[in-house]
Amino acid sequence: MNGKFTKEITPTNSQNSEVVLSVQSVSKKFCRNLKRSLFYGIQDISSEMMGLRGNKNQLRPQEFWALKDVSFELRRGEALGLIGPNGSGKTTLMRIIAGLIKPDTGCVEVKGQIAPLIALGAGFNPILTGRENIYANMSILGVSTQDIQKRFESVLEFAEIGDAIDAPVQTYSSGMAARLGFATAIHTEPDILLIDEVLAVGDVRFKAKCHRRLAELRETGTSFVLVSHNPQAVLTVCESAIYLLRGNFMMSGETEEVMNKYESDLFEDKLSKTLGFMSIPEKSAEESSGIDIISLFFRNEQDDIIKSPICGEMTQFCIVCKVHQPFANINFRIKIHEIGGEGDVVLTLQSADEDEVFDVSPGQYEVRVQMPYLGLKQSSYSMRVIVRKDSFYTFDIINAFTFKVQENHKV
């Protein structure tokens, strides 16, 4: 079956098996009341000093589990994504791995050096200049003064903050602080890099630059854990992921499978989704990665919207996107699986393979994939749709657009 992206865009794996991080049955509880929390803290310290062992698996009044019995392993050169909504325990888990807080139960074993980047400008002293903070942070992470001097220009070049390097960090914007923090962390040449939402800050070009750098680090054996609310970011960087929900371990596996489950849960009550048509709530410019898919559907040869395409007939698959700022070299990729049976991919189309890339300005667009002859048999299918810039940055992804192909009664 042939498919063609038309330019009718009308405005409307690990290097080896060495385990570098092992998280075993980790749980952490917090108290919702500040006074009780202070009291419990004093109580726990006193118990430890006296050699008493309380029941750490039992919740006291107003306590809750931020994490409950989470286990996984990270191997050298592996990229692992942590996904889940707010309050799922992602940042708590990252802080435990970084050694900033202790788990109530379970243990974390680390082999090698960790570089935590778990907040904007993490570890920066706001009074010190950017230059002074680079030296201070890299020294804390075990880099010698001589090596810092050798790497300093590379850090400055990557961060792209220019003369601001000699200004106090408290004068930096959040984006500048994130750039400098990321540049500093990656130039410590760590064994494990922890990244918590930092890639959500900055323009598209800088994000793509960060993704390329992470790919280079992986090739040299660096492992990293990426926390993000943005499924596209995890999908771009990581080949495996873990899904946390309200502190509980929901599932782990290949990123696409975990994303599918996460997206299904996330939009369960918000998504208008029927067979052969999908409408996604529009995001604000602040929430968006730059381009958002807002609806998916089919048209027939007469340009009428149809619920189900018909085998053997001319079909147009339509992707409606909202663009928030100008972009060049945009391409689309779709994969179709048959639901049931072996679930194998039955069709893959990518606009870049046909030299069909698009330059767009802010506005709403309808991209059409023209199929002169729909060669899918009568069955039910699931389609995955991705909109990207070049091959480095994913703007948006829909993992499970379901539709049914009808039998052609004219044949």
Side-chain angles (χ1 to χ4, degrees):
M1 178 182 70
N2 294 322
K4 181 176 177 59
F5 286 82
T6 70
K7 287 206 172 183
E8 184 185 345
I9 315 182
T10 53
T12 58
N13 296 342
S14 305
Q15 292 193 350
N16 56 53
S17 60
E18 180 186 8
V19 175
V20 294
L21 172 64
S22 177
V23 176
Q24 300 296 328
S25 303
V26 164
S27 298
K28 182 65 181 177
K29 55 188 175 183
F30 292 115
C31 182
R32 301 184 189 279
N33 182 281
L34 178 59
K35 290 183 178 180
R36 278 188 179 271
S37 179
L38 294 173
F39 172 72
Y40 290 153
I42 295 172
Q43 191 179 60
D44 291 341
I45 292 172
S46 301
S47 297
E48 287 185 11
M49 292 178 64
M50 297 175 64
L52 300 176
R53 294 185 177 182
N55 186 356
K56 293 187 177 182
N57 286 309
Q58 184 176 353
L59 291 177
R60 294 168 289 194
Q62 293 190 303
E63 285 188 327
F64 66 96
W65 290 112
L67 285 174
K68 184 62 175 174
D69 197 27
V70 174
S71 300
F72 65 90
E73 291 182 340
L74 180 70
R75 301 182 182 276
R76 185 167 299 279
E78 182 181 4
L80 177 70
L82 289 181
I83 63 170
N86 286 327
S88 60
K90 304 185 300 298
T91 298
T92 299
L93 179 56
M94 293 282 268
R95 290 181 181 275
I96 290 174
I97 295 171
L100 300 178
I101 57 177
K102 291 175 58 179
D104 288 307
T105 64
C107 64
V108 175
E109 296 180 4
V110 177
K111 184 175 182 179
Q113 178 181 321
I114 287 184
L117 193 54
I118 55 180
L120 296 176
F124 284 170
N125 185 322
I127 299 176
L128 299 180
T129 66
R131 184 185 301 272
E132 292 166 336
N133 270 292
I134 289 175
Y135 275 84
N137 269 257
M138 295 184 78
S139 296
I140 291 172
L141 292 173
V143 183
S144 68
T145 301
Q146 185 177 4
D147 285 338
I148 296 174
Q149 291 172 345
K150 291 179 181 178
R151 302 174 193 176
F152 182 83
E153 290 302 323
S154 295
V155 174
L156 184 58
E157 181 182 355
F158 192 95
E160 299 178 3
I161 61 173
D163 294 338
I165 191 66
D166 290 311
V169 167
Q170 64 185 1
T171 65
Y172 289 9
S173 66
S174 60
M176 292 170 65
R179 287 177 180 224
L180 187 60
F182 187 87
T184 302
I186 62 175
H187 282 87
T188 61
E189 299 180 359
D191 296 289
I192 305 170
L193 182 61
L194 306 179
I195 309 170
D196 189 351
E197 291 294 350
V198 175
L199 293 182
V201 177
D203 56 33
V204 171
R205 186 186 61 81
F206 186 76
K207 290 177 184 177
K209 181 179 178 179
C210 292
H211 291 155
R212 289 194 296 270
R213 180 62 176 175
L214 291 177
E216 293 171 0
L217 287 172
R218 285 189 60 194
E219 291 177 359
T220 61
T222 298
S223 307
F224 51 89
V225 182
L226 171 66
V227 169
S228 180
H229 290 103
N230 185 348
Q232 298 93 280
V234 179
L235 188 72
T236 299
V237 176
C238 307
E239 77 270 64
S240 60
I242 292 174
Y243 175 20
L244 298 177
L245 182 64
R246 292 187 290 274
N248 295 303
F249 183 95
M250 300 299 292
M251 71 174 295
S252 64
E254 293 185 2
T255 307
E256 292 184 16
E257 297 178 6
V258 179
M259 286 294 110
N260 196 5
K261 172 63 176 173
Y262 175 62
E263 186 180 72
S264 176
D265 292 347
L266 183 65
F267 294 112
E268 184 175 3
D269 298 323
K270 299 178 182 179
L271 194 64
S272 172
K273 179 179 176 181
T274 58
L275 197 65
F277 184 89
M278 179 182 285
S279 177
I280 301 96
E282 292 190 27
K283 301 174 186 175
S284 65
E286 292 73 24
E287 297 173 317
S288 172
S289 296
I291 299 178
D292 305 315
I293 299 172
I294 59 176
S295 64
L296 302 171
F297 53 88
F298 291 95
R299 292 184 185 273
N300 59 18
E301 191 171 4
Q302 289 74 40
D303 271 356
D304 297 325
I305 296 177
I306 54 176
K307 180 178 179 181
S308 299
I310 299 174
C311 177
E313 292 195 356
M314 189 274 183
T315 304
Q316 302 176 85
F317 173 60
C318 304
I319 309 167
V320 179
C321 298
K322 178 70 175 292
V323 179
H324 293 276
Q325 54 184 292
F327 293 107
N329 298 325
I330 304 305
N331 65 83
F332 295 83
R333 179 181 177 85
I334 66 173
K335 279 188 177 182
I336 299 177
H337 299 255
E338 185 177 5
I339 298 175
E342 299 298 324
D344 294 334
V345 176
V346 296
L347 177 64
T348 299
L349 292 173
Q350 183 162 283
S351 60
D353 292 340
E354 301 178 8
D355 295 324
E356 294 284 3
V357 293
F358 310 109
D359 298 340
V360 293
S361 301
Q364 184 168 302
Y365 296 85
E366 182 177 316
V367 181
R368 300 187 183 184
V369 185
Q370 291 189 344
M371 305 178 202
Y373 178 92
L374 183 61
L376 297 176
K377 66 180 182 180
Q378 180 184 8
S379 186
S380 296
Y381 298 89
S382 177
M383 182 188 296
R384 186 164 175 260
V385 184
I386 307 173
V387 54
R388 309 185 74 177
K389 175 177 171 59
D390 302 316
S391 58
F392 300 112
Y393 187 76
T394 299
F395 290 106
D396 204 358
I397 177 172
I398 301 298
N399 276 304
F401 170 66
T402 56
F403 64 97
K404 181 179 289 186
V405 173
Q406 294 183 349
E407 182 181 0
N408 193 335
H409 297 287
K410 299 177 183 179
V411 179

